[in-house]
């Protein structure tokens, strides 16, 4: 039994990466973690060239990654949410799993878990539901492929203004848009996944559930 985990976050050792790894570890199974940054994955071209072969016609890393997903018994996908929807790397990765669908439904029945990281806190008035959007984008892939979607881990991440150097003076600072006119880099602070007890508990619970289900199967 093997579980594949991918992270679409390009940030080194990001909250998304570490949370995906926490879920993988909780499975107690053999796992592989892949960071999508550095992989070359075009989005699906909608050419249907994969229908007969179950392989994409594009000669980039997408086919190799799809093969890994096909061989895995469970899948964990983590994305972050630039402009409050799933990041392009995670989306391209999911689109490129389309070849696995035809005739065989190679992902069908496999357990899947989503990790979504966002800067906008839940129920922030007038702002998009970033984490829900990211989680939906991943979970809808899993549902549409007939996977057994186990749940989502939502992580409160960091707005880039925290580390860009101009967070306190920038006219367009998302920092003030989200946290109010008086918010500063210091008052908002840095969010760390490991300090979010509820989210970490969910990561452990879901990972363990995936591991137990796969050991029984
Ligand atoms: C270019 C950029 C745009 C972003 N836009 C949003 C946004 O619109 N909404 C949001 O909730 N978070 C936004 N974020 C914040 C990310 O979702 C946040 O940085 C996330 O926590 C990064 O996760 P990581 O630490 O796992 O890489 C943005 C981040 C970047 C880098």
């Amino acid at each position: 039994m093997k579980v594949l985990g991918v992270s679409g976050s390009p940030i080194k050792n990001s909250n998304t990466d570490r949370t995906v790894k926490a879920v993988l570890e909780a499975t107690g199974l053999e796992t592989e973690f892949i960071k999508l940054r550095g992989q070359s994955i075009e989005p699906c071209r909608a050419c249907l060239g994969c229908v007969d072969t179950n392989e994409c016609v594009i000669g980039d890393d997408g086919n190799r990654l799809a093969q890994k997903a096909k061989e895995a018994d469970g899948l964990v996908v983590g994305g972050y949410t630039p402009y409050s929807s799933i990041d392009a790397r995670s989306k391209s990765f999911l689109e490129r799993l389309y070849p696995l669908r035809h005739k065989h439904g190679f992902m069908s029945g496999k357990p899947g878990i989503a990790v979504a990281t966002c800067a906008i806190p839940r129920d922030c008035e007038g702002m998009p539901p970033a984490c829900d959007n990211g989680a939906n984008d991943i979970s809808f892939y899993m549902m549409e492929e007939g996977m057994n979607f186990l749940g989502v881990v939502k992580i409160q991440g960091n707005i880039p203004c925290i580390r860009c150097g101009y967070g306190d003076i920038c006219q367009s600072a998302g920092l003030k848009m989200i946290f109010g006119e008086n918010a500063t880099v210091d008052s908002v602070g840095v969010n760390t996944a490991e300090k979010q007890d509820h989210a970490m508990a969910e990561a452990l619970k879901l990972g363990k559930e995936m591991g137990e289900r796969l050991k029984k199967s």
Side-chain angles (χ1 to χ4, degrees):
M1 290 292 172
K2 185 170 177 180
V3 180
L4 175 67
V6 303
S7 168
S9 166
I11 297 169
K12 201 174 166 188
N13 192 29
S14 65
N15 284 307
T16 313
D17 293 5
R18 301 195 310 277
T19 307
V20 170
K21 287 177 184 173
V23 175
L24 291 177
E25 196 180 332
T27 65
L29 299 171
E30 183 190 346
T31 63
E32 180 174 4
F33 172 81
I34 297 177
K35 194 162 172 82
L36 296 178
R37 179 182 175 159
Q39 307 281 336
S40 151
I41 327 169
E42 244 191 66
C44 171
R45 289 179 186 169
C47 68
L48 300 186
C50 58
V51 171
D52 289 331
T53 59
N54 290 99
E55 280 197 19
C56 184
V57 297
I58 305 171
D60 60 7
D61 292 324
N63 269 330
R64 192 175 50 77
L65 293 168
Q67 189 60 29
K68 283 185 181 286
K70 182 183 167 189
E71 285 166 6
D73 301 289
L75 181 65
V76 183
V77 178
Y80 78 118
T81 53
Y83 292 109
S84 299
S85 58
I86 200 66
D87 66 272
R89 289 178 182 84
S90 298
K91 184 68 165 66
S92 284
F93 168 74
L94 294 173
E95 287 187 14
R96 294 293 297 283
L97 299 185
Y98 186 60
L100 303 182
R101 172 184 184 85
H102 316 297
K103 304 185 292 281
H104 306 283
F106 284 117
M107 297 305 285
S108 179
K110 293 184 185 182
I113 295 170
V115 172
T117 309
C118 62
I120 299 176
R122 195 184 172 87
D123 299 329
C124 186
E125 206 182 325
M127 296 299 289
C131 255
D132 289 345
N133 289 348
N136 283 344
D137 289 331
I138 299 168
S139 67
F140 290 164
Y141 158 78
M142 293 181 176
M143 289 174 194
E144 288 183 28
E145 287 307 328
M147 289 181 69
N148 184 6
F149 177 64
L150 299 184
V152 55
V153 184
K154 292 178 184 171
I155 299 291
Q156 182 67 50
N158 297 295
I159 191 88
C161 321
I162 292 292
R163 59 187 167 94
C164 78
Y166 298 93
D168 288 337
I169 56 165
C170 174
Q171 295 299 310
S172 325
L175 186 77
K176 295 186 188 298
M177 204 187 292
I178 298 172
F179 299 103
E181 265 314 300
N182 297 326
T184 62
V185 169
D186 284 345
S187 72
V188 171
V190 177
N191 291 312
T192 307
E194 288 77 2
K195 290 186 182 158
Q196 297 169 40
D197 294 345
H198 180 73
M200 280 297 118
E202 195 63 12
L204 296 185
K205 189 193 98 181
L206 290 173
K208 202 169 162 214
E209 188 181 342
M210 180 181 276
E212 281 166 3
R213 280 178 188 239
L214 287 173
K215 277 174 214 156
K216 275 189 210 149
S217 65

